């Protein structure tokens, strides 16, 4: 069983393993498409490219970053906004649109990626801790209301990713979504979420009988599509 069905079974804790890679910063290059730096503004194209990347990666779900500007070399408009305004940014609305399109197609599951509190604090250094937590929850809400079935919090090593997972877990649970977190080395999960492991840049897969396999980083930064296929073989 592959795709959306496998993802849902894995999230439900049944005996299935779901692969959810992050393919983002060089997504157009990965699928051999032409696009500008802020390619995420084209909702229809991004949804299509993520679908193509999912086929290359034999993925059961795709990860959609809710604040793509923070994960690219481009400056994000988030740095000019108050925390309460993050969910209203055009890039966030675009990503919610991507989530909705992929969910409507129903071939793969959809996971939304969000930065950890430390990453948000770096972009908004003047913001209070409680405001950052509210902003992070707003990003999660935008993703799960658009159709995402799970959330991945990504942060740097030592950045307190586990705390960020705990901050959004109650909200995600309200919508029936699971929360995972990774700093590229370790993984965390919300209460009731299945086991989670990583595929690393060295091509090593976590040994799990069931649950969710994330990637320790961005696959499009590591490998070409042909190299990804070779790793899967």
């Amino acid at each position: 069983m592959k795709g959306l069905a496998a993802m849902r079974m894995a999230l439900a804790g049944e005996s299935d393993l779901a692969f959810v890679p992050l393919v983002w910063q060089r997504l157009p290059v990965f699928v051999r498409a032409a696009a500008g730096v802020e390619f995420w503004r084209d909702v229809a194209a991004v949804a299509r490219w993520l679908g193509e990347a999912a086929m290359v990666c034999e993925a059961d779900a795709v990860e959609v970053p809710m604040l793509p500007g923070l994960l690219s070399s481009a400056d994000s408009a988030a740095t000019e906004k108050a925390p309460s305004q993050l969910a209203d940014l055009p890039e966030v609305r675009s990503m919610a649109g991507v989530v909705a399109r992929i969910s409507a197609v129903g071939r793969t599951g959809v996971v939304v990626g969000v930065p950890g509190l430390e990453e948000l604090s770096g972009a908004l250094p003047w913001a209070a801790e409680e405001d950052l937590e509210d902003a992070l929850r707003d990003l999660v809400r935008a993703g799960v209301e658009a159709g995402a079935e799970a959330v991945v919090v990504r942060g740097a090593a030592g950045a307190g990713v586990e705390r960020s997972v705990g901050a959004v877990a109650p909200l995600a649970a309200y919508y029936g979504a699971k929360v995972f977190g990774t700093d590229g080395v370790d993984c965390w999960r919300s209460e009731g979420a299945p086991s989670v492991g990583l595929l690393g840049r060295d091509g090593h897969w976590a040994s799990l009988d069931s649950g969710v396999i994330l990637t320790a980083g961005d696959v499009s930064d590591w490998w070409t599509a042909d190299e990804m296929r070779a790793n899967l073989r």
Side-chain angles (χ1 to χ4, degrees):
M1 184 176 297
K2 295 294 292 180
L4 178 59
M7 182 62 178
R8 287 181 173 171
M9 287 185 68
L11 290 176
E14 300 181 29
S15 56
D16 214 335
L17 192 63
F19 180 39
V20 188
L22 173 62
V23 188
W24 186 253
Q25 293 192 46
R26 292 169 55 81
L27 172 62
V29 175
F30 190 81
V31 297
R32 296 173 181 159
V37 174
E38 295 185 349
F39 62 86
W40 57 78
R41 295 183 182 276
D42 190 336
V43 172
V46 169
R48 184 174 67 254
W49 294 337
L50 283 173
E52 293 171 4
M55 288 190 286
V56 170
C57 298
E58 298 180 21
D60 301 296
V62 296
E63 181 177 338
V64 179
M66 291 303 290
L67 264 182
L70 289 183
L71 301 181
S72 76
S73 58
D75 291 332
S76 172
T79 59
E80 303 171 1
K81 301 292 183 179
S84 61
Q85 297 175 301
L86 286 193
D88 294 324
L89 287 172
E91 62 186 281
V92 176
R93 292 199 297 270
S94 292
M95 292 302 95
V98 170
V99 171
R101 280 177 177 258
I102 296 174
S103 297
V105 172
R107 291 197 187 108
T108 65
V110 191
V111 169
V112 289
V114 296
L117 291 169
E118 288 292 327
E119 282 67 35
L120 282 183
S121 178
L124 302 166
W126 58 84
E129 180 72 16
E130 58 268 27
D131 292 334
L132 292 173
E133 290 185 0
D134 287 343
L136 185 57
R137 294 187 189 103
D138 287 343
L139 291 176
V140 169
R141 182 181 293 106
V144 294
E145 287 186 347
E149 296 158 314
V151 178
V152 176
V153 180
R154 288 188 178 270
V161 173
E162 186 175 12
R163 180 170 62 92
S164 300
V165 170
V168 300
L171 172 68
Y174 175 79
Y175 287 92
K178 305 295 194 297
V179 183
F180 304 99
T182 181
D183 60 5
V185 178
D186 295 315
C187 295
W188 295 268
R189 53 179 172 157
S190 59
E191 184 177 354
S195 299
V196 57
L198 296 176
L199 165 64
R201 187 167 190 164
D202 58 1
H204 175 72
W205 293 74
S207 180
L208 292 178
D209 293 326
S210 64
V212 172
I213 298 288
L214 307 173
T215 53
D218 191 330
V219 167
S220 70
D221 238 7
W222 300 347
W223 306 310
T224 65
D226 290 339
E227 290 167 339
M228 184 71 210
R229 291 188 183 100
N231 284 333
L232 291 171
R233 286 196 298 271

